[in-house]
Amino acid sequence: MQLAGLMAQAAAMSHPAPARSVLDPACGVGTLLVAAGRQWGADHAAGSRFLGQGSDAVLVELAKARLTVGGFADRDLSNVSLAAGDALRVDAHPGAQADVVLPTRP
C-alpha cells in the first residue's frame, strides 16, 4: 500500500487538480485505483470516474469491491468501469480519455 500511495503522489505531481477520471490499464486488485482515490480525497473521488482493466476476472471483481468499501464507488458503480481482459490485445475502454493514467508496478 505504501508503494501505491507513493505512485499516486507521483501522478498527482503532474496533475495536482482533483482528477475527474483515472485509468489503470493493469488494475489487478485495484490497489493503485484506491490509492488514487485517497490521493485526491474521498470528497473529490466520489465525483471521479475509475477505469481499469485486468487480465483476471476475479481480481477485477475484487478491485470493484475495494473501491466500493473504500467509499470511492457510487452505490450503483456508475463511476467505475473495470473489465477483464488483456489491455494490450483488446482495449476495454476504446477512445476513453483520463486525467491520470496510473503506471503498472515495476
Side-chain angles (χ1 to χ4, degrees):
M1 253 341 228
Q2 290 179 340
L3 178 58
L6 182 62
M7 292 172 77
Q9 287 176 0
M13 290 172 69
S14 65
H15 194 281
R20 304 302 279 160
S21 58
V22 178
L23 169 65
D24 185 350
C27 69
V29 296
T31 302
L32 289 176
L33 290 171
V34 170
R38 288 187 181 135
Q39 176 63 40
W40 285 283
D43 54 332
H44 297 297
S48 293
R49 180 138 175 84
F50 295 94
L51 306 169
Q53 190 164 346
S55 59
D56 186 323
V58 173
L59 297 182
V60 168
E61 291 302 315
L62 183 56
K64 288 179 188 176
R66 291 184 71 203
L67 287 167
T68 301
V69 169
F72 305 115
D74 290 340
R75 173 170 254 140
D76 60 357
L77 293 177
S78 61
N79 69 326
V80 175
S81 178
L82 304 183
D86 185 342
L88 294 176
R89 293 195 172 124
V90 179
D91 182 4
H93 309 288
Q97 296 184 355
D99 295 328
V100 175
V101 177
L102 299 170
T104 59
R105 291 185 182 200

